[in-house]
Structure formats: C-alpha cells, structure tokens
Amino acid sequence: MSNDINHPKQRNYNPLIWVLSFVIVGVIFATYFLPKSNDGTVLGIDLTVLPLMNAIFNTFTFLFLLVALFMIKQKNIKLHRRFIIAAFTTTFLFCITYLTYHAMAESTSYGGDGTLKYIYYFVLITHIVLAAVIVPLALISLGRGLNMQVEKHRKIARITMPLWLYVSFTGVLVYIMISPYY
C-alpha cells in the first residue's frame, strides 16, 4: 500500500488512544489534589491570565472545527485535515494552560445567584462530563481519519464533531460567566 492521502499505511492507534485518554483525564483529575497558591500568584505571576488563555484557545478550537466541518462538506479533505490538526493543536495548548492553572491555583467559585447560577452550573457540569468523553472520541476520530477509514471515521465523527464543538463553545461560555469572580 502506498503512503499517500488516498491509501495511507494503516496504523493501529488504539493503544496510544486509550493510554492518552486515561493519562489526560487522570492528570486533570490529579491536579485538584495538588497544593495551591493562596493568593493566585506563583513567583509573582498572576495565574488568572491562564483562564483567559484557556478561553482564547477554546475559541480557536471552536472556529477551527467549524472550518474543518465546512471543508469536509466541500469534500476538501486536505484542508479538513489541516483544520482538524489546528483544532488538536489549540486543544493541546488549552490542556497545558488548564493544567498549569488548576495545578497551582485554587478553584474559583461562581459568585452569581438566581437563574444564572443554575444555568452556569448546568453548562459547567455538562462541559466537564463531555470534555472527558471527547478525549477518546476525538483521538479515535483522528486515528480513523489518518488511516483513511472513511466510513468508520464518518460514523464516529458525526458524534465527535458536535460534542467537541459543544465542549469548546461551553469552555468559552464558562469563562465569560465566571471571569468577574477571579
């Protein structure tokens, strides 16, 4: 088999996908048990800039995913692939800033009340749960796409894409709603 876009060498990404999925979710969970900064700074650096960076990376992920979706609807596999890789890149950068912040700073509590409080917690909880789910789904979708397993890729991508869009969009929404309380 040749190694071009139409007939790539088939690779078994499954072991890597599951190891990465467990490690990523496990590391994120573990950060909540690390000692935290009492004043929101480390070495004089204000850590509250990191949630803003998270929101920026989530915004780019959302936009890259929308363009990737548009490109595949246009049957432009090359640009679809590039924008998916861009979305993975900004998601990776998000993970770095997210882990850094939550490893060093205390969690910020939502300070609002009334209906907005319930909306905030609904969005936050669905965001957190689906963020954990999206890790293996996105990686499986990527692996199948890289292997050009078109039908298998399409089947899982129809689940992955809307969930990943929701997670990246609600990440920004959560930031906007909680940012006054940093």
Side-chain angles (χ1 to χ4, degrees), residues 64-138:
F64 291 152
L65 290 172
L66 284 179
V67 175
L69 183 59
F70 178 77
M71 287 298 120
I72 203 61
K73 297 276 186 198
Q74 300 300 311
K75 301 191 184 323
N76 189 332
I77 295 169
K78 185 177 181 180
L79 283 178
H80 170 74
R81 182 178 286 186
R82 286 182 180 170
F83 279 99
I84 290 296
I85 297 300
F88 269 95
T89 301
T90 53
T91 297
F92 175 75
L93 294 171
F94 161 83
C95 284
I96 291 170
T97 56
Y98 180 89
L99 287 171
T100 301
Y101 179 76
H102 286 285
M104 296 181 186
E106 291 289 338
S107 290
T108 302
S109 297
Y110 183 72
D113 55 9
T115 304
L116 272 182
K117 181 177 182 177
Y118 295 108
I119 292 170
Y120 171 79
Y121 282 109
F122 173 80
V123 171
L124 177 65
I125 291 166
T126 58
H127 171 80
I128 291 169
V129 169
L130 292 175
V133 169
I134 203 63
V135 173
L137 285 176

Side-chain angles (χ1 to χ4, degrees), residues 18-181:
W18 292 111
V19 167
L20 281 175
S21 296
F22 285 113
V23 167
I24 291 167
V25 173
V27 167
I28 290 169
F29 182 72
T31 62
Y32 291 96
F33 299 101
L34 294 173
K36 311 289 187 211
S37 166
N38 293 330
D39 65 356
T41 66
V42 171
L43 302 172
I45 299 169
D46 182 5
L47 296 175
T48 59
V49 71
L50 295 176
L52 172 60
M53 292 176 69
N54 293 344
I56 291 168
F57 290 136
N58 269 323
T59 299
F60 277 103
T61 298
F62 182 79
L63 294 173
F64 291 152
L65 290 172
L66 284 179
V67 175
L69 183 59
F70 178 77
M71 287 298 120
I72 203 61
K73 297 276 186 198
Q74 300 300 311
K75 301 191 184 323
N76 189 332
I77 295 169
K78 185 177 181 180
L79 283 178
H80 170 74
R81 182 178 286 186
R82 286 182 180 170
F83 279 99
I84 290 296
I85 297 300
F88 269 95
T89 301
T90 53
T91 297
F92 175 75
L93 294 171
F94 161 83
C95 284
I96 291 170
T97 56
Y98 180 89
L99 287 171
T100 301
Y101 179 76
H102 286 285
M104 296 181 186
E106 291 289 338
S107 290
T108 302
S109 297
Y110 183 72
D113 55 9
T115 304
L116 272 182
K117 181 177 182 177
Y118 295 108
I119 292 170
Y120 171 79
Y121 282 109
F122 173 80
V123 171
L124 177 65
I125 291 166
T126 58
H127 171 80
I128 291 169
V129 169
L130 292 175
V133 169
I134 203 63
V135 173
L137 285 176
L139 291 170
I140 292 167
S141 297
L142 178 65
R144 290 179 179 176
L146 291 174
N147 279 333
M148 290 305 292
Q149 298 171 324
V150 176
E151 286 308 312
K152 286 182 172 185
H153 172 73
R154 186 177 292 140
K155 185 176 179 180
I156 196 165
R158 286 187 173 155
I159 298 165
T160 305
M161 182 61 83
L163 291 179
W164 198 359
L165 284 165
Y166 180 84
V167 167
S168 57
F169 179 80
T170 56
V172 177
L173 189 57
V174 165
Y175 171 76
I176 290 168
M177 294 179 79
I178 201 167
S179 63
Y181 308 106

